[in-house]
Amino acid sequence: MIFRLLFALFVAGAALAPAAAQAPAAHIATDLSARVSDPRPGMRTRIGITMTSQPGWHAYWRNPGDSGLPPAVTWTLPEGVKIGALEYPAPTLLTLGGLASYVHEGRFTLLADLSVDDTVRPGTRLPIRGALTWLACSDSLCVPERANIAVDLVAGRGRSAGMDAALLRKAEAALPRPATGTASVTRTGDRWEFLIDTAIALGRDTARLYPVGDGWFGADAAQRVRMSGSHLLPSVPASGSAPADRFEGVLSDGRSSITVKASLRTVAVFSPATGLRALSHSYDRRELLRDLRFRSDAGEIDAPLNGNGAGKLLLSRTSTCGSLAVARQRRCSP
Amino acid sequence: MKRPTILALAAVVLLLVGIMVGRSGVIDPAEAQTSSATARAAEGARLRKQIQNDPLAPTVARKGADVTLVMFSDYQCPYCRKMHPVLEQLVREDPKVTLVYRDWPIFGPGSVEAAKVATAAKYQGKHAAFNDAMMHTPGKVTSQTIRAAATKAGVDWARLQADLKTHAGDIDGLIDRNGRYAAMMGLTGTPALLVGPYLVPGAMELAGLRKAVALARSNPNALPK
């Protein structure tokens, strides 16, 4: 509290003192660099925006979670040069004031593809300019900041390493890697159960799933991750019905991370005593019976029933237009 | 992490304080400079009055209030939400403070929309209810969460839409004005609270706020010379 009171300022003084009104140095420093200083026409290379936060300050991931804004850049590029979307390293979870955010602390690099058209002649100077805006927050204050970022390249043979090539290589290695196998998500009771096939080892005690889109689960939802063979099985309390047919996100244990693109599947359970029972909340039992009959008639049940007559049916959402129509109360033609 | 943050912030602000202490510490014999200091003080007082009194900014006005608080905040700023119950408690326990809300939406489109709806709710006497509902809304602010907060607050939505249209110029004007005042005070972010003549950037706990109010009460016209 003593520190807080030190902040007390005379407002008139601050208003009238030009020195005090000058924008203070940014809490997050930025730097633009390229893998190569001589990108080759017709080829693609990477550039990176390295952001270095003061201790105690953070910036936001592409999905900021409960509050915040991710960095955004507006490029000014020479003819024949294109830059792709920003790629983010995996975030960490930060909960402050009851709000859970997906953030980056310390030093981190946002990467983007840079391509030079093959019509660009070698030796052409390629000044890359960008206006970068971001939100920097500490544990008590949030500040919108901006910077002009620049790097000068010359079209060439793509062989000269840029100033921070090593840093960018490290940043590339830190990007979430594509999961090696398939992934699906099903609604079981009030939880999302993910099934992610991947050969990449992640620590399940610290692994956490970060959604790219909103509406799947709360940013601070308690998650648990089980492992089974080559599968990772995160389980997360759902915050509502599925906002999309596919979940996109990142699974990170704080060191390694993978991208997750999980298709939504509907699960139903069959037993001789109760008949068909929907586990998915969005299903009415009668509708499900009708729907499953429709699917059985069509011979498209994914998983066979087991010997005692109980079993699990996995209906892929993409291949079962009929069940989709029931679940979402809308018509579609199979 | 907490300690370095506080120290880092203190360093920034102490620099500003240092500038002002430097200015006020000079005993100035020159007549011209004295008069310019007086003019500066008068200008400062005039500006402060403007910031504390606004025809449109939602205000919890109290009879016989001797300290005015002006809150600069954004509905998506985590620490603004954290400050909300602190301000509520202070207003409850201290009948002699007036509270002025100045929305300064710097967190993007959701914040701007929420600020406009909050101001428009004032025309039907629902600013306090909407503000409270919005501050208790978890997650990112979107058109949907704004609508849900309005419903919770008992806002007549059709009337609100009409007020947003009818008073669009006034509402935009207020938000512009708030941003201008924030810039004039050298604010860089949210939240920030003007407590009488004292500016406190960043979130505060109740104990700190009480102290700031007590300080403002004993020095209502504190100004640098």
Side-chain angles (χ1 to χ4, degrees):
Chain A
M1 256 332 104
I2 294 218
F3 278 117
R4 297 289 184 216
L5 274 180
L6 285 179
F7 296 169
L9 302 176
F10 294 108
V11 58
L16 298 171
Q22 266 170 20
H27 299 289
I28 300 179
T30 57
D31 186 41
L32 178 64
S33 56
R35 274 294 294 270
V36 294
S37 58
D38 59 342
R40 194 167 150 187
M43 301 287 280
R44 220 167 49 178
T45 181
R46 273 255 179 67
I47 54 163
I49 302 168
T50 298
M51 305 185 74
T52 310
S53 320
Q54 287 175 358
W57 289 80
H58 61 264
Y60 292 89
W61 190 50
R62 56 183 294 196
N63 172 6
D66 283 345
S67 75
L69 275 182
V73 63
T74 307
W75 297 107
T76 304
L77 301 173
E79 213 175 312
V81 174
K82 284 200 182 92
I83 293 181
L86 293 179
E87 296 168 75
Y88 292 74
T92 55
L93 176 71
L94 182 70
T95 306
L96 285 168
L99 286 174
S101 300
Y102 301 144
V103 306
H104 299 291
E105 294 175 295
R107 173 189 269 200
F108 60 95
T109 301
L110 310 178
L111 291 160
D113 280 339
L114 178 144
S115 58
V116 180
D117 198 88
D118 56 13
T119 57
V120 173
R121 302 180 59 162
T124 307
R125 296 157 68 93
L126 303 172
I128 309 298
R129 301 287 180 268
L132 183 70
T133 58
W134 68 95
L135 194 65
C137 293
S138 70
D139 66 350
S140 67
L141 189 68
C142 282
V143 181
E145 300 187 335
R146 57 181 307 129
N148 294 321
I149 50 178
V151 65
D152 289 314
L153 309 176
V154 179
R157 301 169 72 179
R159 287 192 188 159
S160 308
M163 286 259 286
D164 290 315
L167 181 78
L168 291 198
R169 263 200 303 278
K170 234 171 101 181
E172 280 179 352
L175 284 182
R177 287 183 283 171
T180 46
T182 58
S184 67
V185 54
T186 56
R187 177 66 171 264
T188 304
D190 57 0
R191 303 183 75 87
W192 296 118
E193 303 290 349
F194 291 85
L195 183 66
I196 302 163
D197 187 5
T198 180
I200 297 163
L202 289 176
R204 71 185 172 98
D205 292 338
T206 50
R208 187 170 183 90
L209 202 51
Y210 299 92
V212 164
D214 288 328
W216 289 90
F217 47 82
D220 63 346
Q223 305 187 6
R224 43 170 202 259
V225 181
R226 286 183 300 124
M227 271 168 124
S228 170
S230 69
H231 288 91
L232 288 164
L233 296 96
S235 170
V236 190
S239 56
S241 54
D245 288 353
R246 198 161 80 142
F247 171 92
E248 283 191 46
V250 166
L251 182 67
S252 168
D253 66 0
R255 285 194 300 195
S256 305
S257 57
I258 56 172
T259 54
V260 175
K261 291 181 178 171
S263 53
L264 181 66
R265 284 163 175 260
T266 305
V267 176
V269 164
F270 181 91
S271 84
T274 59
L276 281 166
R277 186 162 57 87
L279 282 182
S280 162
H281 274 217
S282 53
Y283 265 102
D284 172 88
R285 183 168 167 270
R286 219 173 40 225
E287 286 173 332
L288 183 73
L289 274 170
R290 192 178 62 215
D291 188 47
L292 284 181
R293 196 167 302 128
F294 164 72
R295 298 315 314 169
S296 322
D297 291 349
E300 286 183 31
I301 293 174
D302 288 358
L305 306 185
N306 66 21
N308 61 15
K312 208 177 190 187
L313 303 177
L314 271 182
L315 302 178
S316 135
R317 191 151 191 170
T318 48
S319 69
T320 57
C321 194
S323 61
L324 254 182
V326 173
R328 296 182 134 191
Q329 300 293 316
R330 66 172 163 80
R331 288 170 190 282
C332 68
S333 39
Chain B
M1 196 185 87
K2 184 132 184 138
R3 180 145 292 262
T5 305
I6 291 174
L7 291 177
L9 269 174
V12 170
V13 177
L14 281 174
L15 178 69
L16 302 182
V17 172
I19 291 165
M20 270 169 286
V21 167
R23 287 154 46 99
S24 58
V26 175
I27 297 163
D28 190 359
E31 184 74 14
Q33 283 189 18
T34 304
S35 75
S36 100
T38 312
R40 220 162 43 220
E43 172 65 13
R46 192 185 60 78
L47 178 64
R48 200 169 73 214
K49 207 166 173 188
Q50 269 179 26
I51 296 173
Q52 291 169 335
N53 297 278
D54 191 284
L56 186 55
T59 301
V60 182
R62 318 292 273 287
K63 256 193 191 149
D66 55 2
V67 175
T68 300
L69 308 181
V70 187
M71 174 71 171
F72 287 81
S73 70
D74 179 306
Y75 281 110
Q76 295 196 87
C77 145
Y79 319 113
C80 300
R81 296 193 196 187
K82 209 174 160 181
M83 281 285 295
H84 173 65
V86 173
L87 283 174
E88 273 194 318
Q89 175 57 30
L90 187 87
V91 167
R92 244 193 323 269
E93 70 183 29
D94 189 336
K96 291 183 81 179
V97 296
T98 282
L99 176 59
V100 181
Y101 291 96
R102 289 204 180 267
D103 284 313
W104 183 27
I106 53 179
F107 281 57
S111 298
V112 175
E113 190 182 336
K116 287 183 178 177
V117 169
T119 311
K122 194 190 154 179
Y123 294 101
Q124 51 182 291
K126 288 283 183 189
H127 174 268
F130 176 80
N131 180 58
D132 190 55
M134 204 66 229
M135 285 294 187
H136 285 102
T137 301
K140 189 184 286 182
V141 171
T142 64
S143 299
Q144 286 75 33
T145 63
I146 291 170
R147 180 72 197 264
T151 304
K152 195 173 142 198
V155 168
D156 176 343
W157 191 252
R159 164 139 192 228
L160 186 116
Q161 291 302 312
D163 284 332
L164 273 175
K165 254 192 207 141
T166 316
H167 304 288
D170 291 343
I171 294 171
D172 290 349
L174 171 65
I175 291 172
D176 280 358
R177 203 148 65 229
N178 295 348
R180 262 203 326 273
Y181 289 143
M184 284 164 112
M185 291 191 292
L187 291 181
T188 55
T190 55
L193 197 59
L194 183 62
V195 184
Y198 299 98
L199 179 63
V200 189
M204 258 190 303
E205 316 246 335
L206 186 58
L209 182 55
R210 282 180 187 140
K211 277 187 199 166
V213 168
L215 193 63
R217 209 158 250 151
S218 54
N219 302 291
N221 293 308
L223 278 175
K225 277 175 195 150

